[in-house]
Amino acid sequence: MPASHHKHTVPELDAPCPFDATDGYVTARRNLLLGLWAGRRLSLTGTDLETYARSVVKADRDEPGHEDVLRKVRADLERAGCPVPEAELTSRLVACHAEASRQCAATD
């Protein structure tokens, strides 16, 4: 994968991060991980889970920062009747960012 990944690039679910991952790629991967977490809370599996996770990545196109992503996930969880406390959602975003950074920093 080329190093010019933009945060709107939707990484493959099991793809390794590129050797010289950009901040945008880490952010996209973070959003993908958050989407997988939220999708599982929504009881999604398989293709539906993948599609939902990708929709979370795409939600980050609305405005700078992460609020648009949190707004989407929060609304989806509330709509499904499984709201998450704000502190837990924020904590999960931070954990997903740390995991995305770790995955992209890992080398063989």
Side-chain angles (χ1 to χ4, degrees), residues 14-57:
D14 57 355
C17 289
F19 179 73
D20 47 355
T22 64
D23 288 339
Y25 193 88
V26 172
T27 298
R29 190 147 187 111
R30 174 203 70 195
N31 294 340
L32 185 72
L33 294 171
L34 183 67
L36 291 170
W37 170 82
R40 288 184 190 107
R41 290 192 72 132
L42 296 168
S43 300
L44 300 176
T45 59
T47 304
D48 292 336
L49 177 61
E50 291 177 23
T51 300
Y52 180 76
R54 291 173 193 282
S55 77
V56 173
V57 174

Side-chain angles (χ1 to χ4, degrees), residues 30 33-34 37 87-97:
R30 174 203 70 195
L33 294 171
L34 183 67
W37 170 82
E88 182 180 349
L89 188 56
T90 301
S91 174
R92 179 55 58 176
L93 180 74
V94 170
C96 288
H97 192 88

